[in-house]
Amino acid sequence: MTHDQDGPTLPPSRGPVSAAVGAHLTGTGPLPADEDVHDASAYGDDLQLALYLCYELHYRGFAGVDPDTEWDADLLRTRGALERRFLAVLRTDTPAHDSLDAALEELLVEPADGTGVSHYLRDEGSLRQIREYVTQRSLYHLKEADPHAWVLPRLWGRAKAGMAAVEFDEYGGGRPERVHARLFADMMTGLGLDTAYGRYLDAASAEMLATVNLMSLFGLHRSLRGALVGHFAAVEITSSPGSRRLAEAMRRTGAGPAAELFYDEHVEADAVHEQVVRHDVIGGLLQSEPHLAPDIAFGIDATGHLEDRFAARLLTAWRAGRSSLRNADTS
């Protein structure tokens, strides 16, 4: 048996389900019972951490965990139970548009009086709150584009070519210093944060875990390829205006040149990506598989639902003068 040495350390559990999954990964205990999974809150810390641990085996794994555990049949059955619990609640709770056209149209409209996280950080957020935001988002941005890459083998023709073109940009266009995950790590360094992959997993909220888990859920299931394209569209279409506000926030608070560069890069790149995603990725997919339109809409809507939950977590804490992190240690 071999063990990964360079991955992040397993985080402390957040309940009986994540404790049992962690114990299985280290060979010290059984997987959770089905009833424990069924009883866990779908959006809660325990289930979301357990699901994150399962998914992370498909990325960089964990220090001290056998890489072959990625395909452990018993663990995959548990992961399936966790996914079914999460997905069922998502399908029930997500406000749904009547059509894909309606979902896309709303993405393209910028509200005249926005109240989201990027608006708050631009107008009144502190440097401490920016560091918290970057800390939470590091769970995704240090592997930016990786969850979306899972869909490439599930596409073909115009959709595959468009998706690959956008992903190529996300990976720096062949220049390692321009890889977006690298730019994010540079921003973290400028903010005095630790850039080690997975360093802030224990500090991240359940709401942040859920947004990252959604990408992995959609990406790892061929049956959810339409939802993954919808998620990708939601991210790319809304990124440019949001990144412009965040770039302004970085300048106002003196977050540093690396922070400004990261968001400036997304203002420019994602304005182009939006067109490619709408016309080539979505258009190409619908041309070959028109029956996936409702799945694409669901991906858009589920992304918005979970991002709204994450925003509420941040803004509620910040407006009450509290940290949004599970623990305030971001040193």
Side-chain angles (χ1 to χ4, degrees), residues 38-57:
H38 182 270
D39 291 343
S41 170
Y43 300 128
D45 279 294
D46 193 23
L47 185 142
Q48 290 299 326
L49 178 59
L51 195 51
Y52 190 95
L53 296 180
C54 293
Y55 286 147
E56 195 56 37
L57 300 175

Side-chain angles (χ1 to χ4, degrees), residues 3-76:
H3 294 86
D4 279 323
Q5 300 298 324
D6 298 328
T9 58
L10 281 167
S13 66
R14 303 188 188 183
V17 176
S18 56
V21 170
H24 182 80
L25 294 181
T26 56
T28 58
L31 285 163
D34 289 345
E35 54 267 28
D36 289 337
V37 172
H38 182 270
D39 291 343
S41 170
Y43 300 128
D45 279 294
D46 193 23
L47 185 142
Q48 290 299 326
L49 178 59
L51 195 51
Y52 190 95
L53 296 180
C54 293
Y55 286 147
E56 195 56 37
L57 300 175
H58 299 292
Y59 296 101
R60 301 195 197 180
F62 293 98
V65 174
D66 183 357
D68 287 340
T69 308
E70 177 182 8
W71 300 112
D72 179 285
D74 292 331
L75 183 63
L76 289 175

Side-chain angles (χ1 to χ4, degrees), residues 14-294:
R14 303 188 188 183
V17 176
S18 56
V21 170
H24 182 80
L25 294 181
T26 56
T28 58
L31 285 163
D34 289 345
E35 54 267 28
D36 289 337
V37 172
H38 182 270
D39 291 343
S41 170
Y43 300 128
D45 279 294
D46 193 23
L47 185 142
Q48 290 299 326
L49 178 59
L51 195 51
Y52 190 95
L53 296 180
C54 293
Y55 286 147
E56 195 56 37
L57 300 175
H58 299 292
Y59 296 101
R60 301 195 197 180
F62 293 98
V65 174
D66 183 357
D68 287 340
T69 308
E70 177 182 8
W71 300 112
D72 179 285
D74 292 331
L75 183 63
L76 289 175
R77 279 192 289 270
T78 294
R79 193 191 91 185
L82 293 165
E83 290 174 329
R84 288 189 293 274
R85 176 87 175 101
F86 183 33
L87 189 56
V89 172
L90 269 179
R91 290 195 183 279
T92 298
D93 291 353
T94 296
H97 285 89
D98 293 334
S99 67
L100 173 57
D101 286 343
L104 286 169
E105 183 177 347
E106 184 167 322
L107 288 180
L108 292 166
V109 175
E110 271 284 287
D113 185 23
T115 57
V117 171
S118 63
H119 296 86
Y120 177 91
L121 290 175
R122 179 195 64 188
D123 297 338
E124 57 184 299
S126 66
L127 187 58
R128 178 186 65 80
Q129 290 165 342
I130 283 175
R131 292 178 81 249
E132 284 190 13
Y133 179 74
V134 171
T135 294
Q136 298 238 34
R137 287 290 190 191
S138 69
L139 267 67
Y140 166 60
H141 282 296
L142 290 180
K143 60 183 174 199
E144 185 172 341
D146 291 349
H148 295 129
W150 294 111
V151 83
L152 281 168
R154 289 97 190 265
L155 304 176
W156 52 88
R158 186 155 57 103
K160 181 190 284 283
M163 189 78 186
V166 175
E167 288 283 271
F168 183 65
D169 284 350
E170 300 286 344
Y171 290 127
R175 298 168 58 192
E177 74 279 4
R178 301 296 297 184
V179 172
H180 286 186
R182 175 71 264 167
L183 296 179
F184 191 86
D186 292 342
M187 173 171 61
M188 293 180 74
T189 297
L191 290 168
L193 297 170
D194 189 339
T195 63
Y197 183 87
R199 162 66 175 82
Y200 295 113
L201 175 53
D202 188 40
S205 63
E207 291 82 0
M208 185 64 227
L209 293 179
T211 66
V212 182
N213 284 339
L214 185 71
M215 300 180 223
S216 298
L217 171 65
F218 289 165
L220 287 167
H221 290 269
R222 187 172 64 85
S223 63
L224 294 171
R225 61 194 180 280
L228 190 283
V229 167
H231 181 283
F232 192 62
V235 171
E236 295 296 329
I237 291 173
T238 61
S239 175
S240 186
S243 292
R244 181 175 290 107
R245 289 188 289 270
L246 289 170
E248 293 173 9
M250 301 305 152
R251 293 186 175 89
R252 182 182 63 79
T253 59
E260 296 172 17
L261 174 62
F262 178 80
Y263 289 108
D264 284 339
E265 169 73 13
H266 283 72
V267 171
E268 297 180 14
D270 292 343
V272 176
H273 293 173
E274 177 227 316
Q275 299 294 320
V276 176
V277 170
R278 284 199 295 130
H279 296 295
D280 293 330
V281 181
I282 292 180
L285 183 59
L286 290 177
Q287 186 177 34
S288 58
E289 299 188 276
H291 63 280
L292 291 181

